[in-house]
Amino acid sequence: MDTAVGTGAEAVIFWVIGPLMVIAALALLFARKPVHAAVGLIFVMIGMAFLYTTLEAPFLGVAQVVVYTGAIMILFVFVLMLVGVDAADSVAETIAGQRAIAVLLAVGLAAVLIGVVVTATLPTAVGLTDANAGTNPVGVAHEIFGKTVFALELVGVLLVIAALGAITLTHKEALSPARNQQAAVRLRQRAYARGEGSQVLTPLPAPGVYATHNAADVPALDPQGNPIDVSVPRVLRIRGQELAPSAVDGHVAEIAQGAYLQPRPTSFGELAGETQDPPTQSTASGPAADDPTASGPTAHETTRNTAEETQS
Amino acid sequence: MNHQVVADFSNDTWWIWVIKAVAIIVFLLLNVLIAIWAERRILGRMQIRPGPNVHGPLGLFQSLADAMKLLLKEDMTVKAADKFVYVLAPLITVFASLLVFAVIPFGPEVSMFGVVTPLQLTDTPVAVLYVLAVTSFGVYGIMLGGWASGSTYPLLGSVRGTAQVISYELAMGLSLVSVFVVSGSMSTSAIVAAQAPFWWCLALLPAFLVYVVSMVGETNRLPFDLPEAEGELVAGHMTEYSSMKFAWFFLAEYINMFNVSAVATTLFLGGWRAPWPISAIGDGMFNEGWWPFLWFFLKMWSLMFFFFWVRGTLLRFRYDQFMNIGWKILIPTALVWLVAVIGVQSVRQFAEVDLRQMLIWIGIPLAVLLLALVFWPEKKKPEPVAAGPVVFDPMADGFPVPPLPGQQLPPAPRRRTVSAGSVVAGATAGPETKETGDE
């Protein structure tokens, strides 16, 4: 294969990817949202990987993506995206004279780098064919683990020190054993037995589901049609955003008022009252069962009262 | 050792590239359609129900109909979304998933319209690293998709997904390194060639096991489907996507399953090489021509079946358990194994020792150690201290509790056995029938 620089397909790829990379790099500078800037940077990295590969350095190209795009940028984006969709960069200076210091340091860095580049003496190039004689990764391996192995190990030690430092700085002695799920349940049950805390041991009922309303803020109804307040998330209740079922659905309001439980005034009053009265209640309530017209609302009231006691 | 690419692409022309590239895309899309159907049928079979069986023979057209439905559904863009990234994310995912098969060898050299060419689109000396690079690029789809939806569940799903894929990629990469070390190459065709005498799934069993676990984690499949745990996060990063944008994510998930299966086949299961008894037939005639495509296909699909089987068998892990498996079991195992492989390999390289002899000398002490561990007298557990008669308190701590192990329930008061005579008496006596036996 012809390895001369800038021939044929290689030039085409360069002139297609190069301008796109410039645009992405500018996006990195001028994007208002940090995630957009990160996307621009990712594009630049991928473009560079393409160029490395066309320049017969496949190992460098792939390592670029694995290390920089796949590991380092992921961590950056990980933090960025937790900031939120609408977060934009703040341009306020938090340190006095920040810009002046930044400019000064940039000039200093540029001076050092230019000095190094100008004074450096490069060995004569051996040519791509010789460098990649035993395939590209093997050539790179000889270079890294042969001549520069000491520098490589120094970098390794530096990284280990950095990791240890991070662990030391974020480490915190446990003052008490971590509370596991079993202990948490036990504490909750003790509190229940003492009459403190939540007096509902089972999972709380889910909020009501209504066809015409997003229902997290309306309570579910119990079998008697009474609203169950604890079914609405606590935060909404504390904020006062809980709705009554009647505010959502007139039919539900009718149920909640007990319209379907109370006997309707019909010509066969007593018979209708008996059929509509739930049989369990009539047996349980004992003497009241003799008077079906009275038992409906009474039973209804009792359930409502017990429901309220449970919630408080 | 041979570090070079084994496959010879020198005869390839541009139209051979086009044919191979198009064939790979078609192969993947058709396989995905079949995989969705097969998964539902197999899961149905495991759960004793028929699965899709209405549309087409054996219900084969079900996934085609589903795909058409997804294409024609209303394409919604949620109001809070970051439009550009929202559209970009599914494209990244599907783009990355389609790239992996470029370096997977389907077979040895075949004659294609008069041109002798390997059954593989391309190969480089860093082909497997390329696979890792492409996978790590694909993570951005999950990540940006969840972020751009501007909603809580997708964001949580994408955070989970990213953490999961990064953690499991480490274990996966480490298990692959031991394959590189013994094969002496990172090129897929060279790795397949190195497995001619012996498959690496046997020689490098621990690495293979680590790879199999991490490949399930990497593809976000049950029991590791935490990013889209439907009981907790609706559908994770895909919650706010509909129509074709959702279909891209869905397609990419299935193609990724094929990707990891194909990589496992190539690196551990001998690639396109025929399994042992068949490979011995007729002087290796089944390792020539188009036959190997069949073996590759069967091996890949048996791994796919493994995916479905696992999904039908195991429950989803809790997130901390899942992370513990990744960081405390898989990565240390892979590291220890890698050091062991490198040790053996370096001794071989520098000391000219016979491999069999060395393995015997390593294996005997290991076997002795293992036997000793198996037959080591167990430390006697302290007898449970008998703290007097165990009294069962049914209202311990003030609420009703069941008896603990070792506690006896007090005899329950039984209702008096009802005889025929007492029934008649009870019927006349009315409410007094409800008397219990404790009188």
Side-chain angles (χ1 to χ4, degrees):
Chain A
M1 190 183 279
D2 187 6
T3 50
V5 176
T7 51
E10 198 182 298
V12 172
I13 290 179
F14 175 77
W15 285 112
V16 171
I17 294 180
L20 288 176
M21 278 170 67
V22 170
I23 293 172
L26 289 176
L28 166 66
L29 289 180
F30 295 114
R32 295 192 61 82
K33 288 185 184 174
V35 171
H36 287 178
V39 171
L41 185 55
I42 294 163
F43 188 90
V44 172
M45 286 173 170
I46 304 276
M48 274 176 72
F50 274 98
L51 291 183
Y52 284 141
T53 312
T54 39
L55 290 171
E56 306 253 330
F59 182 81
L60 193 56
V62 167
Q64 160 92 10
V65 177
V66 172
V67 176
Y68 286 98
T69 317
I72 295 177
M73 262 325 275
I74 288 262
L75 289 181
F76 273 81
V77 179
F78 208 86
V79 175
L80 285 180
M81 68 184 203
L82 291 175
V83 174
V85 168
D86 295 321
D89 274 337
S90 162
V91 287
E93 287 190 33
T94 47
I95 307 169
Q98 198 176 8
R99 288 182 193 207
I101 297 171
V103 168
L104 200 67
L105 289 178
V107 170
L109 181 68
V112 170
L113 288 182
I114 290 171
V116 168
V117 170
V118 168
T119 55
T121 49
L122 294 171
T124 45
V126 293
L128 204 53
T129 336
D130 284 352
N132 282 354
T135 73
N136 177 254
V138 175
V140 174
H142 278 304
E143 194 66 26
I144 291 178
F145 295 104
K147 286 182 204 161
T148 56
V149 68
F150 185 65
L152 184 86
E153 294 194 343
L154 278 186
V155 171
V157 170
L158 189 68
L159 284 177
V160 171
I161 292 173
L164 280 178
I167 292 171
T168 317
L169 287 178
T170 54
H171 180 73
K172 165 172 90 167
E173 290 290 334
L175 293 175
S176 57
R179 186 196 294 175
N180 59 9
Q181 203 172 2
Q182 205 180 359
V185 167
R186 196 150 190 88
L187 285 176
R188 210 172 67 194
Q189 289 185 329
R190 290 252 166 80
Y192 170 84
R194 285 195 305 270
E196 298 164 3
S198 165
Q199 286 298 301
V200 184
L201 283 179
T202 53
L204 295 174
V209 175
Y210 298 91
T212 55
H213 188 77
N214 183 4
D217 54 353
V218 279
L221 300 179
D222 71 2
Q224 278 75 38
N226 306 308
I228 308 170
D229 279 328
V230 280
S231 63
V232 177
R234 199 171 58 96
V235 174
L236 294 184
R237 272 185 282 146
I238 292 172
R239 283 188 194 152
Q241 288 175 335
E242 181 182 3
L243 294 181
S246 55
V248 181
D249 193 329
H251 180 68
V252 174
E254 273 184 38
I255 300 176
Q257 284 158 9
Y260 293 93
L261 292 172
Q262 288 167 17
R264 302 230 175 111
T266 54
S267 51
F268 308 101
E270 290 191 1
L271 184 65
E274 234 179 69
T275 45
Q276 291 213 346
D277 207 11
T280 48
Q281 288 184 6
S282 69
T283 49
S285 52
D290 298 336
D291 187 6
T293 42
S295 76
T298 319
H300 179 70
E301 285 301 321
T302 6
T303 41
R304 182 182 286 260
N305 286 340
T306 42
E308 277 165 9
E309 277 164 21
T310 322
Q311 289 148 19
S312 56
Chain B
M1 267 192 223
N2 185 10
H3 306 290
Q4 306 280 349
V5 173
V6 171
D8 177 20
F9 296 95
S10 56
N11 296 329
D12 287 12
T13 54
W14 65 269
W15 51 270
I16 286 280
W17 295 339
V18 171
I19 289 176
K20 284 178 179 173
V22 172
I24 284 175
I25 304 271
V26 172
F27 174 79
L28 282 177
L29 294 183
L30 284 180
N31 266 309
V32 166
L33 281 185
I34 298 172
I36 297 171
W37 170 82
E39 173 167 28
R40 296 178 63 185
R41 290 288 288 196
I42 290 168
L43 282 183
R45 183 100 183 156
M46 288 174 178
Q47 295 162 358
I48 325 177
R49 57 186 175 83
N53 62 354
V54 174
H55 303 292
L58 295 172
L60 257 173
F61 296 156
Q62 179 67 49
S63 32
L64 200 65
D66 287 346
M68 284 299 134
K69 183 198 74 176
L70 274 180
L71 281 173
L72 299 174
K73 269 176 106 170
E74 183 186 353
D75 189 14
M76 283 184 286
T77 303
V78 286
K79 218 196 231 166
D82 184 308
K83 299 277 180 319
F84 173 64
V85 184
Y86 182 74
V87 177
L88 184 68
L91 299 182
I92 289 179
T93 315
V94 83
F95 177 69
S97 69
L98 287 171
L99 288 178
V100 168
F101 260 81
V103 293
I104 299 294
F106 289 85
E109 292 192 337
V110 295
S111 174
M112 211 185 266
F113 304 107
V115 176
V116 175
T117 174
L119 217 48
Q120 180 177 9
L121 178 58
T122 183
D123 197 2
T124 72
V126 290
V128 184
L129 281 189
Y130 160 82
V131 171
L132 286 179
V134 166
T135 341
S136 58
F137 176 57
V139 184
Y140 281 106
I142 296 179
M143 206 166 179
L144 295 175
W147 174 81
S149 299
S151 168
T152 312
Y153 282 144
L155 184 68
L156 290 175
S158 67
V159 169
R160 272 190 183 188
T162 315
Q164 167 168 347
V165 176
I166 292 177
S167 325
Y168 275 62
E169 222 169 49
L170 288 176
M172 183 182 253
L174 285 173
S175 70
L176 295 185
V177 172
S178 54
V179 175
F180 303 158
V181 170
V182 288
S183 305
S185 176
M186 291 185 280
S187 129
T188 45
S189 57
I191 290 175
V192 172
Q195 292 181 78
F198 209 62
W199 291 3
W200 293 143
C201 74
L202 299 173
L204 304 174
L205 185 66
F208 179 60
L209 295 181
V210 168
Y211 181 84
V212 166
V213 177
S214 54
M215 84 179 183
V216 179
E218 180 90 9
T219 46
N220 302 336
R221 293 277 305 179
L222 266 170
F224 300 146
D225 66 337
L226 296 145
E228 47 199 277
E230 65 273 357
E232 303 153 29
L233 296 178
V234 189
H237 59 280
M238 301 184 277
T239 307
E240 304 289 0
Y241 282 91
S242 60
S243 184
M244 204 50 215
K245 293 205 283 283
F246 170 76
W248 286 133
F249 274 125
F250 196 67
L251 183 71
E253 182 180 328
Y254 274 82
I255 294 181
N256 275 330
M257 282 162 68
F258 281 106
N259 287 341
V260 290
S261 303
V263 170
T265 305
T266 306
L267 266 62
F268 291 102
L269 299 179
W272 44 261
R273 294 188 170 277
W276 168 64
I278 301 174
S279 61
I281 296 173
D283 204 16
M285 62 169 279
F286 286 112
N287 273 333
E288 302 283 328
W290 288 87
W291 277 107
F293 180 71
L294 178 68
W295 314 130
F296 176 83
F297 188 76
L298 291 179
K299 287 175 189 176
M300 188 178 76
W301 264 94
S302 51
L303 280 168
M304 289 298 285
F305 177 77
F306 173 75
F307 268 113
F308 304 151
W309 193 5
V310 165
R311 180 176 174 187
T313 311
L314 296 178
L315 297 173
R316 183 182 302 131
F317 276 81
R318 221 170 54 201
Y319 195 69
D320 57 332
Q321 294 170 334
F322 170 75
M323 279 294 167
N324 280 348
I325 295 174
W327 288 96
K328 295 186 180 166
I329 299 178
L330 291 184
I331 292 179
T333 313
L335 267 178
V336 169
W337 175 250
L338 178 63
V339 171
V341 169
I342 290 177
V344 170
Q345 201 66 9
S346 56
V347 168
R348 268 181 84 193
Q349 195 148 11
F350 297 122
E352 296 290 330
V353 191
D354 183 35
L355 177 65
R356 188 172 297 177
Q357 221 164 27
M358 181 165 62
L359 287 183
I360 287 173
W361 284 115
I362 296 174
I364 288 174
L366 274 183
V368 169
L369 194 71
L370 202 69
L371 279 178
L373 279 179
V374 167
F375 290 109
W376 198 263
E378 262 184 71
K379 199 198 272 180
K380 284 213 174 114
K381 280 182 192 163
E383 293 283 323
V385 187
V390 185
V391 182
F392 171 55
D393 179 8
M395 291 295 283
D397 293 332
F399 48 87
V401 289
L404 292 173
Q407 287 180 339
Q408 286 277 321
L409 270 180
R414 297 275 170 204
R415 180 182 290 193
R416 192 175 54 208
T417 317
V418 181
S419 65
S422 65
V423 169
V424 178
T428 52
E432 284 168 11
T433 29
K434 285 198 173 175
E435 280 172 357
T436 47
D438 52 351
E439 53 179 359

